[in-house]
Amino acid sequence: MNIRPSAAIRQNYNEIADLCRETSEPVFLTKNGEGDLVVMDIETFTRREKMLKLREELLAVEEDRLRGVTDHTLEDADAYLERIIAEA
């Protein structure tokens, strides 16, 4: 986990940006010793957003399955997952 004081973003922007890109991990910025902001590169952010969207959609399908909704076949789910993975 990368933790830096908030002043570091003003003083060392390029260093923090490089760290985000190299590690594909967020950098946590603190203010007065407390967590304040999280910074990450756009590629990592986009990938995480896609992953969250996929998880939400899979959860909705699973909730439908548990309720007995039969709108989704195994083939539909397989094709959907293949499409989502190809987009990522």
Side-chain angles (χ1 to χ4, degrees):
M1 181 181 305
N2 296 307
I3 302 173
R4 301 281 197 270
S6 60
I9 195 92
R10 289 187 301 268
Q11 299 166 352
N12 302 312
Y13 178 88
N14 290 333
E15 178 185 325
I16 291 175
D18 290 343
L19 181 63
C20 288
R21 285 187 206 94
E22 290 168 6
T23 64
S24 297
E25 292 290 327
V27 173
F28 298 85
L29 300 176
T30 62
K31 184 175 182 181
N32 299 324
E34 299 288 325
D36 188 43
L37 298 171
V38 177
V39 179
M40 66 177 58
D41 69 287
I42 195 72
E43 184 177 318
T44 300
F45 174 78
T46 302
R47 187 172 54 252
R48 286 181 184 223
E49 288 295 305
K50 286 181 180 180
M51 183 73 76
L52 286 173
K53 182 179 178 187
L54 175 60
R55 287 181 181 176
E56 288 176 5
E57 291 174 359
L58 288 174
L59 180 60
V61 169
E62 180 63 9
E63 288 172 346
D64 286 349
R65 186 189 69 80
L66 291 172
R67 286 195 315 267
V69 176
T70 57
D71 289 345
H72 310 287
T73 66
L74 184 56
E75 292 78 19
D76 292 340
D78 189 44
Y80 174 75
L81 289 174
E82 286 181 16
R83 190 178 79 245
I84 293 296
I85 290 169
E87 291 176 3

